[in-house]
Amino acid sequence: MNDPGLDHPIAESAEKVQEERQEEGENEKEDEQAFLDPSRWWFASTAFPLLAGTFGPMASAFNICALIEHWRVSIPPGFGANESHGDDVKDPKWLLAVNGLSLGFALIANFALLLNMARRLAFSIAQPITIISWYLASILLIGDLTAIIHIVKVPGERRALTQAFYYAIFACVIYFIIASLMVFTVYGAWRGHYSKEFKLSMSQRTLMLQTISFMIYMAGGAGVYAKIEGWMFLDALYFTNYTLLTIGIGDYAPSTHLGRGLLFPYAIGGIVILGLVVGSIRSLVLERGKKKLGSRMVEKKRENHLKKMLKNRKMHKLTPIESKQQADEVGMSERDRRQEEFNLMRQIQDEASTRQKWQALLVSGSAWFFLWFIGALIFYFAEHEQGWSYFGSLYFAYTTLLTIGYGDYKPFSNSGKAFFVFWSLLAVPTLTILVSNMGDTVVKGIRDLTLYLGEITVLPGEDGFRSRVKQIMAQGTRGKLFGDETDISDPPPGLLGGEKEIDAEQAPSHPGGAQGRGTDFLAGKVQDEELKEAGEAKAKGDKLGETIHEYHYLLVKEFRNVMKHLNESPPRKYTYDEWEWFLKLLGEDESKSASHRRAPIEIENNLSKEPDTQQATNDGDDQVRQWSWIGNRSPLMGETEEAEWVLERLSMTLEKELKKQNEAKREDGKKGPGSADVASNVMKPQSSSGSSTVGEGRKGSTNADAEGKNK
């Protein structure tokens, strides 16, 4: 299998891979124990900086809106005159100066945060600059807002505040909130709950850039339409806002041919950017956030379940069975006990997943109702001079949140228009999250109910009505009723499924040839070469060499099979038999208690220590740390998908075995003919008990007597 002249490059590549893995291990130390941290620390380390990086530029855009127009208008006398058509009153120069200084501090804060996220500026330098600058920007705007309120009223004149004044309020509030969030982030890093360096993924940075692009696109379009249609800039911003959000209230519409023609590309471009923002929000909040919070919920559920078992004196069920006498006393084997432990962990996962879905729906639904009712209340006070009732405000807010936009209700006041822009921008991500959470719960339930009704009425399934009812009852009772009758699963792989002995002449075909490309094609070539060398060793009578290459063949074969499971949706969950086979390939035996332990109830999370996650194989030695299916070292814990976990461990095991084989051949070449025994001992893959090879196990019995003979 080793071509001449490739040993040295392969050795160098292996050393580079080893160094890269050590660096990745340091970077992923925090992620491997993320499920041990309280949920608030995930928000502090990831969600809060992301919110600050997204809403910071939005607040700066509102601050610019506050600078572009005057803050006061004089309403002329006469019937029908209102604040929307008043005459501008020039602001004092000191007000403009303070407003500009506030914007300057805000821009400094934004750049410092972005440089810190890009790792161009140290955390200890960037965060004080960011937090202090945003607080100063907020304080300066508060001073401006307070001063202008005192001078807005002039005896004998009707004066009102413009949209720019209300945009200054929104900018001031956002500056203060995101600065406070970053204080919480710095506090968590100072206490050592996570690293002081942001580890935002590409998708998280993309969301920030997309949000900034959308704000620039909306404001740029407002400037163009203000010039073309002769509108005030903030009125044009109000128009571009409800146009790009596809609400279409209709109180502002282009009247020129140029404005109408420009709307074709402008609306399409804005909708595309908005779609990207919505997609990024869904990806981050619903996928990444759900993984983090879901892992933490599984850990809490696991702890509560173990505490309950301890209280009911049932912890003996989780104690490894180390002898035949102990197995006779408890009435089950170690493998049966491990399977019960595995099933218990699956039950905990299902309960935690169900609770997490409904809890997420409750939170997102509450946020949506809050925006609806509180938004309607603010519109009611803003438009009370227009004769709006609270019910009418509810009606307007509801049709706006669902992007219906009939146009029979529309805000006329400056405060109503400004609040509409800010409120609608918050409504988009809220509605996106709510709809997605409903898809996992309510919509899924309605869909399943529709399928059930269809199968028992006009669209009967292949299994018949009675079989379908049994399946529904088994799912509803978690297998307590008709669980055995409805259990339909594929036969276990490998040894457990009675796989036949591998023959070198029966090599399975792989998608090679003219179309074979990438990892699957390379794995197929390795697989065929290992099978060929196994056949050559068999022809020479070298039983150990035959076993070694057959073991490598199995590793590569399962590697290819698991690769097909990576992109499955929902993610692949393996059965106990499948896990038993994978662990056998990794050198562990579920029927042996050498690598098993009773699960600890509470786990100390200290990032300065070695991560206490399950490692099927260690780079330093052949020892396997003890673990439990229901413990924190279980491969079912954490955020890593099962197929990804298995694939990584298979590749690590294959890499280590090939490294052993390469070192053995080098040693054999140095010492000459008499060193075959030494090479054989190096090449021999050990199980967790150190008694037999996995290759030998697949050809014969897996009990202790057979393993003793093989040894």
Side-chain angles (χ1 to χ4, degrees):
M1 175 176 175
N2 294 325
D3 294 335
L6 292 180
D7 288 347
H8 185 64
I10 291 176
E12 291 182 349
S13 301
E15 292 177 358
K16 291 181 180 180
V17 170
Q18 186 70 18
E19 293 176 357
E20 292 175 357
R21 283 190 170 173
Q22 290 177 355
E23 294 177 359
E24 291 174 359
E26 293 294 330
N27 294 333
E28 295 175 357
K29 183 180 291 186
E30 181 180 341
D31 293 337
E32 288 180 339
Q33 283 195 321
F35 62 90
L36 299 180
D37 278 328
S39 302
R40 61 179 176 271
W41 297 121
W42 175 81
F43 281 106
S45 64
T46 304
F48 289 171
L50 188 60
L51 288 173
T54 303
F55 282 90
M58 180 188 295
S60 298
F62 289 159
N63 202 339
I64 294 173
C65 292
L67 265 174
I68 288 178
E69 295 186 4
H70 299 296
W71 285 19
R72 298 169 296 167
V73 292
S74 177
I75 303 175
F79 179 78
N82 56 53
E83 61 186 38
S84 299
H85 302 89
D87 298 327
D88 290 335
V89 177
K90 289 186 177 181
D91 297 322
K93 293 182 178 180
W94 58 263
L95 187 142
L96 295 176
V98 173
N99 200 350
L101 188 61
S102 171
L103 178 61
F105 279 120
L107 294 177
I108 291 174
N110 286 323
F111 279 113
L113 180 63
L114 291 177
L115 289 175
N116 185 208
M117 290 181 173
R119 300 184 182 181
R120 297 291 186 270
L121 193 61
F123 184 90
S124 58
I125 299 176
Q127 290 313 306
I129 295 175
T130 299
I131 295 172
I132 294 174
S133 297
W134 269 332
Y135 273 133
L136 288 175
S138 178
I139 293 172
L140 290 173
L141 283 179
I142 290 175
D144 263 2
L145 294 168
T146 305
I148 204 69
I149 290 176
H150 288 298
I151 65 175
V152 69
K153 293 183 179 180
V154 177
E157 293 187 20
R158 294 178 60 194
R159 289 191 175 183
L161 298 169
T162 65
Q163 296 182 51
F165 172 83
Y166 297 103
Y167 279 113
I169 294 178
F170 301 147
C172 174
V173 172
I174 295 175
Y175 287 152
F176 186 84
I177 291 176
I178 58 181
S180 302
L181 293 179
M182 293 309 297
V183 169
F184 198 74
T185 298
V186 172
Y187 173 76
W190 175 69
R191 291 292 302 271
H193 292 285
Y194 42 80
S195 172
K196 291 183 179 180
E197 297 296 331
F198 292 119
K199 296 180 180 179
L200 297 182
S201 63
M202 183 58 67
S203 58
Q204 291 169 335
R205 295 174 185 172
T206 300
L207 174 61
M208 295 169 54
L209 295 176
Q210 289 170 349
T211 305
I212 295 172
S213 301
F214 181 78
M215 295 298 299
I216 295 175
Y217 190 83
M218 185 174 68
V224 173
Y225 272 97
K227 185 69 174 178
I228 293 175
E229 301 294 336
W231 297 334
M232 300 291 290
F233 175 79
L234 296 183
D235 289 334
L237 183 67
Y238 167 70
F239 160 75
T240 55
N241 172 263
Y242 70 65
T243 298
L244 297 183
L245 297 182
T246 67
I247 298 173
I249 296 178
D251 48 347
Y252 283 85
S255 57
T256 63
H257 290 298
L258 178 59
R260 291 171 178 171
L262 186 63
L263 185 66
F264 298 150
Y266 179 73
I268 290 296
I271 291 173
V272 169
I273 298 177
L274 181 63
L276 294 175
V277 173
V278 170
S280 297
I281 292 173
R282 173 182 171 82
S283 174
L284 291 176
V285 177
L286 300 180
E287 295 178 7
R288 182 69 175 171
K290 276 185 177 180
K291 278 187 176 182
K292 290 279 186 180
L293 300 180
S295 299
R296 176 59 186 166
M297 193 166 290
V298 170
E299 169 60 18
K300 292 174 64 177
K301 195 77 176 176
R302 185 196 72 85
E303 289 182 5
N304 294 335
H305 201 97
L306 290 179
K307 289 178 181 178
K308 186 177 179 181
M309 293 183 67
L310 181 63
K311 183 179 179 181
N312 297 332
R313 298 181 178 180
K314 295 183 179 180
M315 290 297 289
H316 64 277
K317 295 183 178 180
L318 303 179
T319 304
I321 300 173
E322 300 179 353
S323 63
K324 185 177 180 182
Q325 180 181 359
Q326 187 179 358
D328 295 336
E329 291 177 358
V330 298
M332 67 172 63
S333 63
E334 173 63 7
R335 183 190 181 279
D336 295 336
R337 187 198 67 81
R338 291 279 287 184
Q339 187 169 11
E340 288 189 4
E341 198 175 76
F342 177 88
N343 295 334
L344 179 60
M345 189 62 197
R346 283 292 191 219
Q347 179 183 343
I348 292 174
Q349 285 181 315
D350 293 339
E351 293 176 358
S353 176
T354 302
R355 181 179 177 182
Q356 191 266 340
K357 289 178 181 178
W358 287 102
Q359 184 174 321
L361 178 62
L362 178 63
V363 172
S364 58
S366 300
W368 188 86
F369 277 104
F370 178 82
L371 278 178
W372 181 21
F373 290 117
I374 299 301
L377 184 64
I378 295 177
F379 281 122
Y380 167 70
F381 285 109
E383 304 296 333
H384 67 281
E385 293 185 359
Q386 313 300 328
W388 283 27
S389 64
Y390 182 66
F391 179 78
S393 300
L394 279 175
Y395 167 77
F396 168 75
Y398 183 81
T399 55
T400 302
L401 283 173
L402 297 183
T403 67
I404 298 173
Y406 288 122
D408 48 348
Y409 278 80
K410 42 200 169 188
F412 285 95
S413 65
N414 290 331
S415 58
K417 291 178 181 178
F419 177 73
F420 178 86
V421 174
F422 174 63
W423 175 77
S424 60
L425 290 175
L426 294 180
V428 170
T430 305
L431 184 62
T432 300
I433 297 171
L434 175 62
V435 171
S436 299
N437 288 331
M438 290 181 64
D440 295 336
T441 52
V442 178
V443 176
K444 182 177 181 299
I446 296 175
R447 182 193 63 193
D448 293 342
L449 179 61
T450 303
L451 293 175
Y452 294 156
L453 292 177
E455 289 183 352
I456 64 178
T457 54
V458 295
L459 297 172
E462 297 180 358
D463 298 333
F465 173 75
R466 182 176 300 179
S467 176
R468 188 56 176 163
V469 170
K470 289 182 178 179
Q471 291 181 14
I472 296 173
M473 295 182 68
Q475 293 177 1
T477 60
R478 298 184 182 276
K480 294 180 180 179
L481 295 177
F482 305 107
D484 297 334
E485 299 181 29
T486 58
D487 184 17
I488 303 175
S489 58
D490 296 330
L495 288 171
L496 307 173
E499 183 178 306
K500 296 180 180 180
E501 181 177 347
I502 302 173
D503 191 346
E505 298 178 357
Q506 297 176 350
S509 60
H510 58 81
Q515 299 179 349
R517 297 292 186 267
T519 306
D520 190 62
F521 172 64
L522 294 176
K525 292 192 68 176
V526 175
Q527 184 176 334
D528 289 349
E529 289 177 6
E530 289 289 352
L531 202 59
K532 180 181 178 182
E533 293 195 13
E536 294 175 354
K538 182 177 181 180
K540 296 177 181 179
D542 183 4
K543 300 298 294 182
L544 179 59
E546 178 187 357
T547 301
I548 292 292
H549 291 295
E550 286 183 359
Y551 175 49
H552 294 173
Y553 166 83
L554 288 176
L555 287 173
V556 178
K557 178 186 176 186
E558 293 302 331
F559 185 92
R560 297 178 66 190
N561 291 336
V562 175
M563 282 187 63
K564 301 174 184 177
H565 304 157
L566 287 178
N567 297 324
E568 290 187 4
S569 181
R572 181 68 170 254
K573 289 189 175 182
Y574 296 112
T575 63
Y576 178 76
D577 290 336
E578 289 174 322
W579 271 111
E580 186 179 14
W581 167 244
F582 291 139
L583 292 174
K584 190 76 174 177
L585 288 177
L586 298 177
E588 294 194 31
D589 192 345
E590 281 290 272
S591 62
K592 305 296 181 182
S593 61
S595 61
H596 305 162
R597 72 168 181 176
R598 192 171 75 171
I601 297 179
E602 295 183 355
I603 307 153
E604 179 183 0
N605 182 24
N606 188 348
L607 293 178
S608 63
K609 297 181 180 180
E610 181 185 2
D612 196 16
T613 50
Q614 162 64 8
Q615 297 288 337
T617 56
N618 296 320
D619 292 334
D621 49 43
D622 291 330
Q623 300 299 321
V624 180
R625 292 194 300 161
Q626 294 182 332
W627 61 283
S628 167
W629 281 113
I630 201 173
N632 64 306
R633 296 177 182 174
S634 169
L636 304 184
M637 292 290 293
E639 303 171 35
T640 306
E641 300 295 349
E642 295 181 19
E644 184 180 349
W645 191 97
V646 172
L647 190 65
E648 180 182 0
R649 296 317 189 274
L650 287 175
S651 62
M652 290 171 61
T653 303
L654 180 60
E655 178 185 340
K656 189 167 70 172
E657 289 298 323
L658 294 178
K659 184 178 180 181
K660 285 182 181 180
Q661 181 179 352
N662 191 36
E663 291 176 353
K665 288 186 177 181
R666 287 182 180 179
E667 194 70 22
D668 189 20
K670 291 179 181 179
K671 295 184 178 181
S675 59
D677 295 337
V678 177
S680 299
N681 291 330
V682 175
M683 292 167 56
K684 185 175 180 180
Q686 300 290 335
S687 68
S688 61
S689 59
S691 58
S692 69
T693 66
V694 177
E696 290 170 346
R698 68 169 299 282
K699 295 175 65 176
S701 173
T702 60
N703 56 43
D705 294 336
E707 290 184 356
K709 292 179 181 179
N710 289 334
K711 182 177 180 181

